[in-house]
Amino acid sequence: MSILVAVQGYKAETFCKALERIMPEREIVRHGEPFDRRAVDYAVAWKHPAGALAGLPNLSAVFSLGAGVDHLMTDPRLPEVPILRVVDPDLTARMSEYVVLHCLKILRQQMRYMAQQAERRWEDDLDQPPAAKVRVGLMGLGVLGQDAAFKLRMMGFDVAGWSRSPKTVEGIATFAGPEQLPAFLARTDILVVLLPLTPDTAGMVDGAVLRGLARDGRVGGPHLINAGRGGLQVEDDILACLDDGTLASATLDVFQTEPLPEDSPFWSHPKVTITPHNAAMSEADAIITLIARQIVRHEAGEPWENVVDPATGY
Ligand code: NDP
Ligand code: OXD
């Protein structure tokens, strides 16, 4: 009975230590080292090398170390067992902090004031609209989108959300499906992307979407915040839209290539805020505690929670 850790480039040893501490009764084995493949009943994965989870005859489930599972779903040799993702109040709260922080940054024009400070300039003639006059649109109204919507509402923003299937969420306007996307975009000053990366959503945040955003808002043009996945965005289109004034700013936590290459034009673009894919970093202990709880429940005969639908890929 062992747990295989197949993790690349993401604090692999920290997660192994947390597994050993929280589940001392289980043997923890690491991809890349010799281990008995027949003894593995669970795998914990993040950006594993394709095929690393194949050939495990007694595998019961694969746990993603994140909320997103795109890193798993692209593996052509992914075993046909339940894939379980992270749904954790700590992670959710951190993502909402990120979204609220950057929406407030836009509302209160913090980038302008930082530029003024650098030039020792005292100017207070900027329009300061109330939050209620600023329309935030969340692309993705799942666990993270709905929590962010609730917290943005608490700050007073005028919030809407867009999802694949129709939803009713108290206090926010909801839109669903490709047919309602134009109406959703047309009432959005700040577009917040919290979609999963799937074959349907790849490249969705392109020039056409950005040009569809509202042009009559009070925050100097439309703004983009992407904390979903880099594969959702067409980066050349974002740069073109920043340069021709279609977009007033972009706040990006995720990129097509991570780490962001040193020569990327995003680094020095005056309208861009970059964070290193850490909008919502949960502590290893919190994630491993969730995994341990799932295993105990499963072994007591209860159903898995937060199971990914292989048909939709999220
Ligand atoms: P959920 O699965 O709970 O929600 C996904 C949402 O996206 C749902 O509302 C879903 O619609 C919607 N959606 C999916 N496909 C489409 C589509 N084709 N068209 C329209 N809407 C669509 O995911 P979470 O909220 O938990 O997480 C979202 C993503 O955030 C993760 O997949 C991950 O990529 C990213 N993430 C990023 C982090 C970071 O640090 N930057 C940290 C954690 C997550 P419906 O409701 O109809 O199913
Ligand atoms: C996640 C992430 O998916 O951190 O949880 O990106």
Side-chain angles (χ1 to χ4, degrees), residues 158-273:
D158 178 359
V159 184
W162 180 73
S163 50
R164 197 166 58 91
S165 54
K167 296 209 157 9
T168 305
V169 181
E170 201 189 328
I172 76 164
T174 53
F175 299 80
E179 12 359 280
Q180 293 184 3
L181 182 59
F184 163 77
L185 296 172
R187 57 84 65 217
T188 295
D189 301 315
I190 304 177
L191 181 68
V192 178
V193 183
L194 286 175
L195 289 168
L197 178 59
T198 68
D200 283 349
T201 62
M204 194 176 252
V205 183
D206 62 4
V209 158
L210 301 175
R211 284 189 295 276
L213 293 166
R215 308 254 7 128
D216 58 351
R218 297 269 305 269
V219 282
H223 299 257
L224 168 68
I225 299 173
N226 184 6
R229 281 289 182 267
L232 298 165
Q233 67 200 13
V234 179
E235 299 190 343
D236 286 346
D237 287 9
I238 294 176
L239 285 163
C241 286
L242 288 165
D243 290 340
D244 72 10
T246 302
L247 268 184
S249 82
T251 298
L252 305 173
D253 184 55
V254 287
F255 297 89
Q256 289 276 1
T257 304
E258 295 178 6
L260 185 62
E262 220 174 296
D263 61 355
S264 166
F266 283 126
W267 283 115
S268 54
H269 201 293
K271 295 181 179 174
V272 174
T273 300

